[in-house]
Amino acid sequence: MNVLFVCTLNKARSVVAARLYRRTPGLAVRSAGTSDRAAHQVTAHDLRWADRVIVFEPAHARWLRATFAAPLPEIVDAGVDDAYTATDPELVDELCAALTPLLGAPSAR
């Protein structure tokens, strides 16, 4: 399964989530952001590649639906607040708690 993790700036939540799951068997992962200031902004190509998009806020899902034409891959909101930097150990714990029910435990932890 191809999983695209999407946050706002593609600097913390989506990047750390992709790092956690990059070695998980059966998954291919990428990350992107919704902002035009994102390290990598979501493209139509990313969405065609993805089987599932995991966002971290309802605003991310709304942006995807407003910006790109249907059909879109499945979009799931993992509900992880933008309260961390990429180096916060708490972010890893929060992501694992939110993503394990959706994807299983990450292999890269």
Side-chain angles (χ1 to χ4, degrees):
M1 175 173 31
N2 295 336
V3 179
L4 177 65
F5 294 105
V6 175
C7 67
T8 305
L9 292 174
N10 188 221
K11 290 188 178 189
R13 294 171 289 179
S14 61
V15 172
V16 174
R19 191 178 316 129
L20 282 170
Y21 280 90
R22 71 178 174 230
R23 292 189 184 110
T24 301
L27 296 181
V29 298
R30 293 182 183 172
S31 68
T34 58
S35 171
D36 59 359
R37 298 176 320 174
H40 169 75
Q41 189 177 39
V42 178
T43 66
H45 176 76
D46 294 324
L47 295 171
R48 282 191 302 275
W49 170 85
D51 297 309
R52 178 183 285 177
V53 177
I54 297 182
V55 299
F56 297 102
E57 301 174 23
H60 300 142
R62 286 192 300 271
W63 183 87
L64 289 169
R65 290 183 179 107
T67 304
F68 297 97
L72 295 173
E74 175 188 20
I75 300 172
V76 179
D77 182 357
V80 176
D81 291 331
D82 189 14
Y84 308 97
T85 66
T87 59
D88 285 333
E90 296 87 4
L91 176 57
V92 172
D93 294 339
E94 185 82 16
L95 287 170
C96 286
L99 297 174
T100 296
L102 301 172
L103 300 171
S107 295
R109 185 161 188 193

